[in-house]
Structures are given as structure tokens and as C-alpha cells.
Amino acid sequence: MIKGGWQLAGEHGAVDADRVVEDMIAFVDAGVTTFDCADIYTGVEELIGRFLCDLTRTRGADAARRVKIHTKFVPDRDSLLSLNLSDVEAGIDRSLTRLGLETLDLVQFHWWNYAAPGFVDTVHHLDTLRAKGKINLIGVTNFDIEHLARLCDAVDIASAQVQYSLLDARASGEFSQYARDHDVSLLVYGVLAGGFLTDAWIGKPDPGFEFENRSLVKYRLIIEEFGGWRLFQELLSALRAVANRHEVDIATIALRATLDNPDIAATIIGARYANRLPQTLRAFEIELTDQDRLMLENILIR
């Protein structure tokens, strides 16, 4: 399990920085030692840099060395046609400075527009920086199979970050098979569909698509593609029945079911703070039965 950082970005509302740092340490104490962020998540790399300093001070250098930081290299949209090695190195150096690291454990590369032809050249630039010791591993985020294949032909791609949940299995099938065949680990986000796969939505009327949060609009559209609000409620009811047998909440079952997928290397949990950490960790303590899986599959295959 990876602790996500997107919810900590400044545009998602006020963040208590002191609490964030304390709670990151609580995640480490609980055994969660990998953290995901991005250069475009406003203020998050700096927060993680502060967390690493506090972790070293309070838990020691060995504890800090066990922590892995996954960040992203996301060039500006307007720079895609002119991006060169110096530009890429400046972005990587900025992340290193913010995080207070000498080497980035994993840099996940995103490209806004495939019509702009420079993405293969850019991943070669990242590979040059890996040879210089500034990057350990190169991954991608939100690439489709065609363009992932072009990058895999160019350099060694360690991982692909993609959206995946019980409601959204687009990464299964051909994409996951390609990833398996080319030793690309799938790191998945959106496992709880922005909070829709929780007890909060069971039995609730369809809210439509009027959300201030664009992320919720996106996940509500995923529900529509899944089969609509009625089928979604059937899935929640099935999840609730399974959760009752294990004495946990719906989110725990949704997470456990995703972890059981052999195509998935890790799930990214986008919790802002650690208040739900004990419930989340219950996903590692339970084991779904054949009856549990069948109950869910009867809805998922419709």
C-alpha cells in the first residue's frame, strides 16, 4: 500500500501541515513506507521533504532510509514541443531540492498530448539523468498501451500508475497483460472511486453530476459507464453483506478485493490524514472467501 499525496495539494482545501507530517510518521510506524506525490501537486513535495527530516530526527536515519518516495515529472503543456535535457534536469533538480534527496526513488512520467511528438525523447532525457544518479527507477502515469509500448522500447520502464477499482477495470485485460509481459508493475489509484465505494453512499439517491469537486464528477461518470446508479447500489449492497461477515466497512472490502488482483502491485490510498488508518490496515488482516468473491462477481460481470 502506498500513501498518496494528491489530497494534500493546496487546491484541495486547507491542509494542517503539522498534522500531515505527524500522520505521515504514523503511516511509517504502521508499516506503510512508500509515499506518492508529484511535482505539480502544489506544496506536497515540500511537505514530504519536511516529513523526511522529522522522521530522521524522531525515528532515526535507518527509518528514513526505509521510506521510498514516488514523484512525477509532468512538464508544462506549453513546453511539450520544445522540451530538452536541460529543461528535464531542471525539473528533476527542483524535485530533489524540495524533497531533500540526492536520488529520486521513482519518477513517474506523464505526457499531456500524444500529438506532441517529444515524449520518447523526454524519457531518454530521464534515462540520462538516471545514469547520472539523480533517478533510480522510471515509471509512467496515465499512459495508454500504445504509447507505453513505445516507451518500453526506448528505456526500462518499472511501473505504470493507472486508475483502477471495482467500478473501473479498464486497466485489466490487454493493458495488464502487456505490463506483465514487460515487467511493468501496476500502481493503482482511485481504488475507492473518490469515496463512492464507501458506506457513505449506500442507499443514497443519485446525486447526478453537479459536484464542485471535478474528481467526483469523474468518478460519477465511471459509475455511469459501470452500469448506472442502480447497479452501483447493488454493488454497494453486496459489499456491505461481505463487510458484515468480516466486521469491517465497505472501503476495506473494496481495498482487499483490489489487493487480491494478481495484476496489481500496489494500491495508492489518498487519505489526507491518518484518522482512518486502522480501518484501512484491516484490509491486510482479512481474507475474502469464495462466497465473498462470487457475490461480488455476480454483479461485476453484468
Side-chain angles (χ1 to χ4, degrees):
M1 188 173 77
I2 297 169
K3 167 72 169 67
W6 183 69
Q7 288 285 348
L8 301 176
E11 58 265 29
H12 297 298
V15 172
D16 183 338
D18 291 339
R19 181 180 174 188
V20 165
V21 170
E22 290 175 4
D23 283 10
M24 285 182 183
I25 294 175
F27 271 85
V28 173
D29 289 342
V32 179
T33 56
T34 305
F35 294 78
D36 180 84
C37 61
D39 54 359
I40 61 168
Y41 296 173
T42 305
V44 178
E45 287 184 328
E46 291 92 339
L47 272 175
I48 292 178
R50 178 179 161 189
F51 144 69
L52 290 173
C53 288
D54 280 17
L55 182 67
T56 301
R57 178 175 54 81
T58 61
R59 301 295 188 272
D62 287 343
R65 277 191 289 268
R66 289 196 297 272
V67 170
K68 300 298 179 184
I69 306 299
H70 297 177
T71 193
K72 301 179 183 71
F73 174 69
V74 184
D76 293 338
R77 291 175 187 266
D78 295 338
S79 73
L80 300 187
L81 294 177
S82 61
L83 208 62
N84 57 38
L85 175 59
S86 295
D87 298 325
V88 177
E89 187 162 22
I92 295 303
D93 286 345
R94 180 183 59 197
S95 291
L96 286 167
T97 298
R98 289 171 173 174
L99 291 164
L101 297 172
E102 295 182 358
T103 301
L104 299 175
D105 296 308
L106 173 68
V107 172
Q108 300 164 102
F109 171 47
H110 178 66
W111 194 253
W112 293 107
N113 181 5
Y114 295 138
F119 64 93
V120 174
D121 290 336
T122 300
V123 85
H124 276 300
H125 296 329
L126 290 171
D127 202 39
T128 297
L129 299 176
R130 176 168 57 182
K132 291 176 68 172
K134 294 188 176 186
I135 297 171
N136 186 22
L137 297 172
I138 298 171
V140 299
T141 182
N142 292 330
F143 266 74
D144 62 20
I145 188 171
E146 175 188 350
H147 296 88
L148 171 62
R150 291 183 62 183
L151 294 187
C152 285
D153 287 341
V155 303
D156 181 22
I157 300 295
S159 65
Q161 187 176 135
V162 292
Q163 184 172 297
Y164 184 92
S165 70
L166 293 177
L167 293 169
D168 180 15
R170 288 174 295 171
S172 295
E174 185 180 3
F175 188 92
S176 60
Q177 182 63 55
Y178 181 88
R180 260 196 318 275
D181 291 344
H182 293 80
D183 295 323
V184 176
S185 297
L186 295 188
L187 314 178
V188 299
Y189 67 91
V191 177
L192 301 182
F196 277 110
L197 287 173
T198 64
D199 286 280
W201 285 101
I202 192 166
K204 294 294 180 64
D206 186 350
F209 298 89
E210 296 298 321
F211 296 100
E212 292 183 5
N213 186 321
R214 287 181 298 171
S215 178
L216 290 177
V217 175
K218 176 185 72 173
Y219 288 116
R220 178 62 187 86
L221 288 168
I222 291 295
I223 291 172
E224 204 63 23
E225 294 175 10
F226 173 73
W229 194 257
R230 180 177 298 179
L231 185 61
F232 167 62
Q233 285 295 322
E234 289 184 38
L235 176 60
L236 288 184
S237 295
L239 285 166
R240 183 65 261 164
V242 173
N244 286 342
R245 285 199 286 272
H246 294 276
E247 299 182 338
V248 295
D249 58 14
I250 283 176
T252 301
I253 299 302
L255 175 57
R256 178 70 259 174
T258 303
L259 290 167
D260 284 344
N261 186 328
D263 292 331
I264 305 303
T267 62
I268 299 169
I269 301 300
R272 182 174 295 189
Y273 302 115
N275 52 301
R276 281 192 48 80
L277 182 57
Q279 295 96 312
T280 300
L281 293 176
R282 287 279 284 135
F284 294 94
E285 300 171 5
I286 64 174
E287 184 173 343
L288 298 183
T289 66
D290 290 342
Q291 179 186 2
D292 296 334
R293 284 187 282 270
L294 181 60
M295 178 173 286
L296 298 179
E297 288 169 4
N298 284 339
I299 297 170
L300 296 174
I301 63 175
R302 292 189 194 176

